[in-house]
Amino acid sequence: MHKSRLVSLLLLSLVLSLLLSGCEQQNSHEVNVYSARKEALIKPALDRFQTETGIKVNLVTGNADALIERLKAEGVASPADVLITVDAGRLHRAKSLQLTQAVDSEQLQTLIPAAYRDPEGHWFGLSLRARPIMYAKDRVNPADLSTYADLADETWRGRVCIRSSSNIYNQSLVASMVASDGVDAVEQWAAGLVKNFARKPVGGDRDQIKALAAGVCDVAVANTYYLFGMLSSENDAEVKAAEQVQVFWPNQQGRGTHVNISGIALTQSAKNPDNAVQLMEFLLNEESQSWYANVNGEYPIRDNTVVHPTLAGWGQFKKDAINLAELGKLGPEAVKIMDRVEWP
């Protein structure tokens, strides 16, 4: 080979090596996050992680299903290191599409109860999202309430508000009931519940709470953090509506109240896996868990975390101990049940 050509090739190789080294160095100081959580509900924690570790966090927010489809389309070229979303069913879907990978972290396994993490280590809960029954203080005696199943009783004819069957929270609730009671029993329950709707499902959980306060219905099923948000709102009308509502913890003599999670997974395409795992562990430390419980109004995954007085005022409750991986597995069956009973 001609000497000048050899020198040129060596110089080119050196330049490429330096460029690759620069890229690796840059990647070693960042982590890329795809989050289905609204920015206000996750960015403060990510900012704190960036400040304390020096690892730059690049955040992309969006609809959970859209982010999963984006990961699928991007494949191994995806820049995302972690996926954060707000339902175990969606985390299960990401895993089933082979978009996630297992994480071996003693800290995560120790801090997170087994029910709130994937048995194979593909996703981990960050906070709990309880979905109890709520009732109008001036129209309902809590002694008349007991279980989700009882909401299908004729006593509640025309008195129930709940979101549509397309809502992932309702799909997961029904999936949890299938795991406990079986398809036939849950289908019979769902048919009775639909008969008891005060109106055709419309809007989100806040809309169910507002309808409850306005007298459209007497009971509703909604996540507690929405009620928390209304009680702490700067909108006087929201506060006034929320103050007319109380929380009832169903199924306390049986399987417990249904809970879901906000959770996190390491993507299959992760280019910065060490930083990603460090972020996962950071979101489980005491300060992060306190932030979830006192700012977001969610229940912490970790035991012995002091929660906001509003949450404490609703009292302690027995949680359904089902492993939340079952919600993802049974979600399609739950949707079929809801379709068959014509749950709008």
Side-chain angles (χ1 to χ4, degrees):
M1 180 179 292
H2 194 278
K3 183 177 180 181
S4 61
R5 186 179 179 189
L6 177 61
V7 171
S8 297
L9 288 173
L10 288 173
L11 287 173
L12 178 61
S13 176
L14 177 61
V15 170
L16 288 173
S17 296
L18 289 172
L19 287 172
L20 289 172
S21 175
C23 289
E24 290 174 359
Q25 184 177 15
Q26 181 183 24
N27 286 343
S28 69
H29 294 290
E30 67 181 16
V31 61
N32 300 311
V33 178
Y34 281 8
S35 174
R37 302 219 65 171
K38 292 181 179 179
E39 185 172 305
L41 299 179
I42 190 61
K43 193 172 185 298
L46 300 180
D47 287 345
R48 191 158 41 81
F49 172 78
Q50 180 169 298
T51 299
E52 294 185 17
T53 65
I55 297 172
K56 181 183 178 183
V57 179
N58 302 308
L59 176 64
V60 173
T61 59
N63 173 274
D65 292 329
L67 289 175
I68 290 173
E69 287 303 311
R70 178 171 175 173
L71 279 171
K72 184 179 176 182
E74 291 172 340
V76 295
S78 176
D81 297 306
V82 298
L83 171 68
I84 296 175
T85 187
V86 289
D87 177 81
R90 287 194 174 104
L91 290 166
H92 173 82
R93 179 174 172 235
K95 177 188 174 184
S96 69
L97 291 171
Q98 300 183 341
L99 301 176
T100 63
Q101 59 178 296
V103 172
D104 183 14
S105 166
E106 182 178 353
Q107 186 173 339
L108 295 179
Q109 292 175 1
T110 300
L111 293 176
I112 304 172
Y116 309 133
R117 51 184 165 85
D118 177 58
E120 297 177 343
H122 278 250
W123 51 260
F124 302 86
L126 298 175
S127 63
L128 292 177
R129 303 155 73 85
R131 193 164 184 76
I133 296 170
M134 298 183 188
Y135 65 93
K137 294 178 183 179
D138 62 341
R139 299 189 302 279
V140 175
N141 182 347
D144 294 333
L145 295 166
S146 60
T147 65
Y148 295 109
D150 281 350
L151 292 181
D153 189 88
E154 289 186 0
T155 302
W156 302 104
R157 188 61 50 85
R159 303 174 67 189
V160 178
C161 282
I162 192 169
R163 286 169 81 158
S164 73
S165 60
S166 64
N167 174 246
I168 190 69
Y169 304 148
N170 284 340
Q171 293 172 10
S172 292
L173 170 61
V174 174
S176 73
M177 297 179 73
V178 171
S180 175
D181 304 324
V183 171
D184 292 342
V186 175
E187 186 165 340
Q188 184 177 354
W189 165 79
L193 183 70
V194 169
K195 291 179 181 178
N196 290 347
F197 286 174
R199 63 175 184 181
K200 182 178 179 179
V202 60
D205 278 11
R206 286 180 185 243
D207 295 296
Q208 313 315 311
I209 296 169
K210 291 174 182 177
L212 181 56
V216 174
C217 47
D218 293 330
V219 294
V221 178
N223 289 357
T224 52
Y225 62 87
Y226 287 108
L227 183 61
F228 174 91
M230 291 176 68
L231 287 168
S232 55
S233 173
E234 295 181 358
N235 184 317
D236 290 340
E238 282 202 343
V239 174
K240 185 176 179 180
E243 288 176 342
Q244 299 177 58
V245 173
Q246 185 55 273
V247 171
F248 179 84
W249 302 113
N251 296 75
Q252 293 302 284
Q253 303 306 313
R255 64 188 179 94
T257 297
H258 171 66
V259 295
N260 209 319
I261 56 168
S262 72
I264 192 167
L266 178 66
T267 67
Q268 186 64 249
S269 62
K271 310 300 188 298
N272 307 291
D274 292 340
N275 294 346
V277 173
Q278 190 173 343
L279 174 61
M280 290 178 173
E281 293 173 346
F282 179 87
L283 293 174
L284 266 297
N285 69 26
E286 291 183 6
E287 187 174 359
S288 295
Q289 288 290 290
S290 178
W291 178 75
Y292 277 117
N294 287 278
V295 178
N296 283 6
E298 295 171 292
Y299 288 91
I301 286 285
R302 289 183 59 167
D303 293 332
N304 303 319
T305 301
V306 177
V307 300
H308 191 279
T310 297
L311 274 64
W314 292 332
Q316 296 185 342
F317 64 100
K318 178 182 178 181
K319 305 173 186 67
D320 189 349
I322 182 177
N323 186 289
L324 297 188
E326 294 300 308
L327 304 185
K329 295 175 184 177
L330 294 171
E333 189 62 55
V335 172
K336 292 177 184 176
I337 290 172
M338 298 163 92
D339 285 345
R340 287 197 294 268
V341 302
E342 298 182 352
W343 182 332

